[in-house]
Structure formats: structure tokens, C-alpha cells
Amino acid sequence: MAKMGYVALALVAIFCIVHVQGLSDDVEAAWEQFQAHHPSSTKSHTDAAKRKGNFVKTHEMIQQHNKNKNAAYQLEHNDFSVMDDEEKKRYTGAKAPSGSRFLIADNLDASMRQLPTSLDYRTNACLAPVKNQGSCGSCWAFTAIAPLEFAQCNKTKTSVVLSEQQLVDCDPNDGGCNGGWYTNAWSYLMGGSAKQSAYSYTAVKGTCKFSTSTIGSTVATYGSVASKSPSSMQAALVRYGPLSVAITVINSFYSYKSGVYTDVACDNLGVNHGVVVVGYGNLSGIDYWIVRNSWGAGWGSSGYILIQRGVNKCSIESYPAAIASVV
């Protein structure tokens, strides 16, 4: 009996060694592949061991999640896979202000009675291509500019691309790469928003170079949409176009690939990132918002993510706001 026990223990030990070796081989293969496809994220850094360690943690998270057949969304490796938490934070930057907010309420009730079952502005000629904020906490600026570009184009029927860098350099209400808020930015942009061609993005705060001769649009009126009211957000999307919102970004969000994002870990936490809602729909029975991010077209689904709608997922329905009119 003792011999049988030893044999059983030996077999278990061998199985564990083989299993661990298999996992190790899988990680090594994934790491080699990642380095080949993301050379700027790996080879140019002296802290290679640390970055590989970050990759291994991310890889384990992705593998564990994607094995779940009931998962509504899938994860993948991207440039964030080798970053630590402090590096990732530089790609967010929403800082919610305290105090009351002006509420847009005109005619939204009427719009609610005739809401389309789905809406998607991603292919609308007035929505500029997805941009990339880089490692500057300026998401708030990108969240402010996209709806303004849309509103201006919608009024004049001519597309326009505006400057986030002007906000980073010049807006006294916000903190440049240290964070800010989209309605604060709109308050400043009542003095005019420069065209991007005249004021290009650098991802660092510099000296303000704004000139009124470069204005491409000017905010006239803006306000908040009712908080935690998905139908009000839908009505505002129909009436005004893309909405600025704030969300809570956690680790799984950085690795999003496809599907409807439903991670419960982001709920009931403070918001830290500004994004833009550009539509809504339903996938496999799950209602979603179509959300435009500012991490480039290589992230997520061509720069977009679908986030569960109607449950205030990641606080997305807490701080919606819209530009009502432009000059």
C-alpha cells in the first residue's frame, strides 16, 4: 500500500511539472510573438524583466478570462500588456468637479417617445477618425473635442478636425496632462476652438499659442443630460449627437478586444477616464453603448468598445453631457 501511495504521489508530481512546463512554454511563445508585433513597447526599454513580468500577469488574466465560454467580451494583448499601473494611469485623466451642473432638458421627452432601436455614428461623415492621447492624461480634452467636431459639422455640413492641444496648453480650468473635465473645457471653448491643422497635438503641456484666426468652431450652449437615465442619454444622442461621459477604467478594460464589456469590478468606483458615446444597440441579448476611446484605432475594436447599457456599467451613465449648439 505504501508503494502504491508513493507511485501516486510521483505521478501527481510529474503531472504538475509537465503542466507548469506547458504553461511556461505558452507564456514564452506568447511573449516572443508580442515582442515581434510590439517592438516599441519592449525592446527599447532597459527594464526588460519588469516589462516581461507585467506581460505574464496580463497574459494569465487574458487566458483565464477568454476560457470562460459565458463571457460576453474577449480580451487581447496590446501595448498596455507590459505597462504597470502607474504607466496605465497616464492614459486616463478624468477628474470630476464638485458642484451643480446645468441640465439640458428641452424636448428630450418628445425624443424619448420615438427612439430608434439602435444608433451608430461611427460611420457618420461628421465624426472625425479616432485619435490617440498618448501617455498624457488629456482624455478630458479628447472627450470634449469629438462632440464639438460633430456639432460643427452637423451645422455647416463640412467636416472639421479641432485641436485637443489647445485645451492642454491653454485651458485655465483644467490641468493639461494632469487631468480635467469635458464641461470645463466647453466653458473655455466658448472663446473658440482652433483647428488641429493650426495647433497640432504633442501629448505634453506647452505654452499657449492659440490665435482667434485659427478658430474652427465655438461652443454656444452645452449642459448635462439626466444622470443614470439611459433613455435620456439615448434621446440626447438622437437630438444632439455624440455624448461626453466619464467611466471607471480597470485592468481588464485596457485589454478589451470585442463583445459587450460587462466586468462588474468597475462598478461603484470613482471615475477616472473620459470617453464619448456614439451610439447604442443590442448584441446577443445584451444592451450596449458604442463608446469611442482616445487610445488610437489599434486599441479595442478599431478604437471603440461596447459597454453594457442600462446598468450604469463603470459609471458610464453618471455624468453624460452634450453640446446643444455651436456658433
Side-chain angles (χ1 to χ4, degrees):
M1 291 294 291
K3 271 189 175 181
M4 290 291 288
Y6 286 131
V7 170
L9 286 172
L11 288 173
V12 169
I14 291 169
F15 172 79
C16 289
I17 292 169
V18 170
H19 180 65
V20 170
Q21 183 61 48
L23 287 176
S24 177
D25 291 344
D26 173 65
V27 170
E28 287 300 324
W31 175 237
E32 290 299 321
Q33 186 177 28
F34 180 84
Q35 290 181 95
H37 288 90
H38 301 81
S40 62
S41 299
T42 53
K43 299 191 187 230
S44 61
H45 293 271
T46 54
D47 53 348
K50 177 184 175 183
R51 302 190 83 71
K52 184 177 180 181
N54 292 336
F55 176 86
V56 170
K57 288 180 186 175
T58 305
H59 187 71
E60 290 173 351
M61 176 189 73
I62 291 173
Q63 291 292 92
Q64 183 177 0
H65 175 82
N66 288 351
K67 283 177 184 175
N68 180 1
K69 294 179 180 178
N70 296 319
Y73 62 98
Q74 293 290 292
L75 303 178
E76 68 178 351
H77 283 295
N78 54 40
D79 288 341
F80 291 109
S81 292
V82 295
M83 297 185 194
D84 57 33
D85 290 343
E86 284 305 309
E87 288 178 283
K88 290 176 182 177
K89 284 179 185 176
R90 296 175 198 157
Y91 290 79
T92 56
K95 292 185 176 179
S98 58
S100 60
R101 297 176 292 155
F102 171 71
L103 193 68
I104 293 178
D106 58 322
N107 296 332
L108 285 188
D109 288 339
S111 299
M112 287 181 205
R113 291 195 292 269
Q114 47 191 354
L115 287 172
T117 55
S118 63
L119 179 68
D120 190 347
Y121 286 126
R122 281 177 292 184
T123 57
N124 190 292
C126 285
L127 194 65
V130 171
K131 302 177 186 178
N132 194 340
Q133 70 182 83
S135 57
C136 165
S138 57
C139 62
W140 58 274
F142 288 80
T143 303
I145 289 294
L148 179 56
E149 291 171 333
F150 189 94
Q152 182 65 32
C153 172
N154 208 32
K155 177 183 179 180
T156 64
K157 308 308 176 189
T158 303
S159 61
V160 61
V161 183
L162 302 172
S163 172
E164 289 83 9
Q165 191 62 42
Q166 177 195 349
L167 287 169
V168 173
D169 291 349
C170 309
D171 180 4
N173 308 315
D174 292 296
C177 289
N178 293 320
W181 197 248
Y182 35 91
T183 54
N184 286 347
W186 289 339
S187 177
Y188 165 75
L189 292 175
M190 294 180 87
S193 176
K195 294 178 181 177
Q196 184 176 275
S197 58
Y199 208 142
S200 58
Y201 189 67
T202 64
V204 293
K205 184 175 174 62
T207 304
C208 182
K209 301 169 190 162
F210 172 64
S211 167
T212 54
S213 64
T214 64
I215 290 177
S217 180
T218 301
V219 175
T221 57
Y222 66 89
S224 297
V225 177
S227 181
K228 300 178 183 177
S229 173
S231 58
S232 293
M233 287 177 63
Q234 289 173 274
L237 277 164
V238 172
R239 181 170 174 79
Y240 302 118
L243 303 179
S244 297
V245 297
I247 61 173
T248 306
V249 166
I250 58 172
N251 268 332
S252 62
F253 186 95
Y254 290 100
S255 302
Y256 172 82
K257 177 185 180 182
S258 61
V260 182
Y261 187 73
T262 58
D263 196 336
V264 297
C266 69
D267 296 334
N268 303 312
L269 300 173
V271 296
N272 58 9
H273 190 46
V275 290
V276 179
V277 174
V278 301
Y280 58 86
N282 181 284
L283 179 65
S284 301
I286 304 176
D287 291 335
Y288 62 75
W289 299 112
I290 304 171
V291 179
R292 171 190 171 104
N293 202 355
S294 52
W295 295 344
W299 176 86
S301 179
S302 300
Y304 290 86
I305 179 173
L306 305 182
I307 296 181
Q308 188 176 12
R309 168 167 56 97
V311 296
N312 200 23
K313 179 58 56 186
C314 306
S315 297
I316 193 170
E317 290 150 11
S318 292
Y319 300 100
I323 292 178
S325 64
V326 294
V327 176

